[in-house]
């Protein structure tokens, strides 16, 4: 159905790209879309503009809604793929797609590095992804990485903008050290 534009009844404008979709499919998979399409004023609306999402992220979101899987993103670099997963996790939360949120969090857990762990920790805290948060804290807690993580630009941004997840990380580290001694 995703590829069949002949039966679509709604289009989304994301930046300069347009995506055709089916209200029934969207509403069946997302309580947010269900609510949006059931509102009397929006029933007639057939063109919706999506702000704050990149086309690649919205396309992946639609792919998931229709197939219950993530699209292959082999054409993206590791950093680009990580950025898409982070944005997709936020979109999954916004559209109440818990399974997609879990899938994105799982992928992000396996792709942590010194530069992206602080951003992933911020997302985990903001969108209540406990497994991702634990993976980030464990990654940062690793004795040979702490100094590198603290020196990273992502860490400095997180420290200034949202210190709570870092406090949680260092609190866990302190508890581990105390129980070790």
């Amino acid at each position: 159905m995703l590829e069949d534009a002949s039966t679509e009844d709604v289009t989304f404008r994301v930046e300069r790209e347009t995506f055709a979709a089916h209200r029934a499919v969207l509403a069946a998979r997302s309580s947010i879309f269900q609510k949006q399409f059931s509102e009397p004023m929006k029933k007639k609306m057939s063109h919706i503009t999506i702000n704050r999402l990149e086309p690649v992220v919205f396309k992946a979101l639609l792919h998931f809604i229709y197939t219950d899987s993530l699209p292959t993103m082999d054409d993206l670099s590791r950093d680009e793929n990580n950025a898409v997963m982070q944005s997709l996790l936020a979109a999954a939360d916004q559209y109440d797609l818990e399974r997609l949120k879990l899938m994105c969090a799982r992928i992000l857990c396996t792709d942590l590095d010194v530069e992206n762990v602080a951003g992933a920790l911020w997302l985990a805290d903001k969108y209540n992804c406990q497994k991702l948060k634990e993976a980030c804290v464990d990654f940062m807690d690793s004795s040979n990485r702490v100094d590198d993580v603290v020196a990273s630009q992502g860490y400095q941004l997180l420290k200034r903008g949202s210190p709570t997840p870092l406090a949680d990380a260092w609190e866990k580290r302190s508890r581990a050290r105390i129980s070790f001694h």
Side-chain angles (χ1 to χ4, degrees), residues 15-157:
E15 291 181 6
R16 292 183 177 95
E17 293 189 37
T18 303
F19 299 91
H22 304 85
R23 291 171 187 262
V25 174
L26 299 174
R29 298 280 296 180
S30 164
S31 64
I32 303 304
F33 280 124
Q34 181 181 35
K35 182 180 177 192
Q36 184 177 21
F37 295 140
S38 68
E39 293 176 14
M41 293 295 291
K42 297 202 176 178
K43 278 187 179 181
K44 305 260 188 261
M45 187 186 256
S46 62
H47 303 289
I48 300 171
T49 300
I50 301 289
N51 298 313
R52 298 184 313 247
L53 271 186
E54 294 178 35
V56 67
V57 175
F58 191 75
K59 184 176 182 178
L61 180 85
L62 283 180
H63 183 91
F64 172 80
I65 287 172
Y66 278 83
T67 67
D68 202 42
S69 66
L70 291 171
T72 57
M73 294 186 243
D74 298 335
D75 56 329
L76 301 178
S77 72
R78 180 177 175 260
D79 289 342
E80 290 169 332
N81 189 61
N82 189 280
V84 168
M85 285 300 121
Q86 288 189 15
S87 295
L88 194 54
L89 186 143
D93 185 77
Q94 178 183 348
Y95 289 101
D96 194 26
L97 297 165
E98 194 62 32
R99 181 168 150 67
L100 177 59
K101 193 170 135 179
L102 291 170
M103 291 169 71
C104 293
R106 188 176 312 123
I107 290 168
L108 290 169
C109 284
T110 64
D111 195 33
L112 295 173
D113 64 27
V114 169
E115 291 302 320
N116 70 24
V117 69
L121 179 58
W122 180 81
L123 282 172
D125 187 61
K126 181 173 182 173
Y127 298 115
N128 197 25
C129 299
Q130 194 58 37
K131 295 282 187 201
L132 179 57
K133 189 174 187 178
E134 289 170 10
C136 291
V137 169
D138 290 345
F139 181 92
M140 291 170 62
D141 198 35
S142 174
S143 61
N144 62 345
R145 295 186 187 123
V146 171
D147 293 336
D148 293 335
V149 170
V150 170
S152 75
Q153 183 180 7
Y155 177 88
Q156 296 306 318
L157 291 171

